[in-house]
Amino acid sequence: MPSTLPSNLQPPASKAVIELISPDRLNPYLTACSGDPEAALALYRWNCELAAAFFESLGHLEIMFRNAVDARLVQRQQGRNRTAEWYDDLSVPLSEKARADITEAHRRARRDGVTTPRGKIIAELSFGFWRFLLVRQYRSTLWPDLAGAFPHAPNRAIATVEDPVKRLHKFRNRIAHHEGIWNLPLAGRRDDIQAVLGFIAPAAATWVADASRIDDLLARRPA
C-alpha cells in the first residue's frame, strides 16, 4: 500500500517534492524538524551534499587502501618465491568467500581474446573484499605481512586497523544505498578516514584532507 502524505505538508511545491522523494524516506527528517517540510527538505539536501563529500574522501581511501594491501601481498609472494599472482595462488590462505569474489572479479574484468590487466582485477575487487582481509581469522597468516601496509599505525595489532576500516565499510554502504547519514557520528567517520590514511602514509591523509569538503559542510548544518 503506498504511503499517504501528511495533510499538513505545505506549500504545494514541498508537497510535490516530498511525494517524489517519498514520505517514508522523508519521515525521519520531518520528525527531526518537528514536521516542518521546508526544514526537512533542507536537512535532506544537506545530508545528500555531505554524503557526496564523504564519498569523495572514501573513494580516495578505498583506492589507496587496496593498493597498499595489494603491494604487501605481492611482496609476500615474492618472499615465498611464488610466481603466481597472489589472488590466483591457492596456497594463499583466503576464505571461500574471498575466492568467490576473485572469480567474479575475473569474470567482470575479462575481455574477449585479450589478457586481463592485473590492475583491472584489483579494481574489480570491492572495498568489502579488502576490508575482510583484516578480520581476525587472518591474524596469524596474512596479517604479519599486511601489517606492513600500515607502517605509521601506533602498533601492529590487527584491531587497530580493522576497527576503523570496519566502521568505514558500513558507513560507505549506507551512502551507496542512499541511506541517511545526518544522524550518525560524522566527525568520527571523518576521523576514521584520516586515521586509516595516516596509518598508510601521513602525506596521503594530508592530501585528502586538504581537498575535503566535509568540515565545511559539517559547519553548515541546517538549523
Side-chain angles (χ1 to χ4, degrees):
M1 179 180 296
S3 301
T4 57
L5 192 68
S7 59
N8 65 336
L9 290 181
Q10 297 296 332
S14 296
K15 181 176 179 179
V17 172
I18 292 176
E19 281 282 17
L20 288 168
I21 294 174
S22 91
D24 283 346
R25 179 174 288 273
L26 264 296
N27 273 338
Y29 300 87
L30 285 163
T31 299
C33 297
S34 302
D36 182 336
E38 295 296 331
L41 286 174
L43 181 59
Y44 182 83
R45 176 173 285 172
W46 176 80
N47 176 86
C48 293
E49 292 174 349
L50 190 61
F54 264 108
F55 211 64
E56 181 179 1
S57 293
L58 285 165
H60 293 314
L61 169 73
E62 181 174 350
I63 290 170
M64 294 177 181
F65 175 79
R66 78 185 183 208
N67 288 342
V69 171
D70 173 52
R72 291 301 301 177
L73 290 169
V74 169
Q75 289 182 37
R76 185 181 189 275
Q77 288 293 90
Q78 293 171 346
R80 287 164 172 75
N81 294 317
R82 305 289 296 183
T83 58
E85 295 286 2
W86 62 264
Y87 46 80
D88 290 332
D89 190 342
L90 296 181
S91 74
V92 178
L94 297 174
S95 68
E96 289 185 11
K97 175 63 169 61
R99 291 289 175 199
D101 289 344
I102 290 167
T103 298
E104 178 61 17
H106 271 290
R107 187 193 67 78
R108 289 195 300 265
R110 190 175 298 119
R111 300 174 182 175
D112 293 339
V114 179
T115 301
T116 304
R118 78 175 306 277
K120 179 66 173 173
I121 295 170
I122 295 300
E124 288 289 349
L125 293 167
S126 71
F127 188 28
F129 173 88
W130 302 100
R131 169 261 182 277
F132 282 108
L133 292 182
L134 302 183
V135 295
R136 286 160 176 77
Q137 78 179 77
Y138 297 126
R139 188 198 308 268
S140 62
T141 54
L142 295 181
W143 177 248
D145 293 286
L146 295 185
F150 311 99
H152 301 280
N155 55 60
R156 290 178 65 88
I158 192 170
T160 298
V161 181
E162 182 196 6
D163 288 349
V165 171
K166 180 167 56 177
R167 291 191 294 267
L168 290 172
H169 178 235
K170 183 177 180 180
F171 183 61
R172 178 202 178 281
N173 287 348
R174 282 191 66 89
I175 294 173
H177 289 95
H178 308 293
E179 298 180 34
I181 62 169
W182 58 276
N183 55 352
L184 299 179
L186 297 171
R189 299 297 77 77
R190 174 206 59 202
D191 293 346
D192 282 340
I193 292 171
Q194 287 298 296
V196 175
L197 287 170
F199 295 163
I200 299 169
T206 300
W207 185 81
V208 171
D210 284 348
S212 174
R213 297 176 290 125
I214 293 171
D215 284 345
D216 179 58
L217 284 162
L218 287 175
R220 293 194 286 111
R221 177 174 178 142

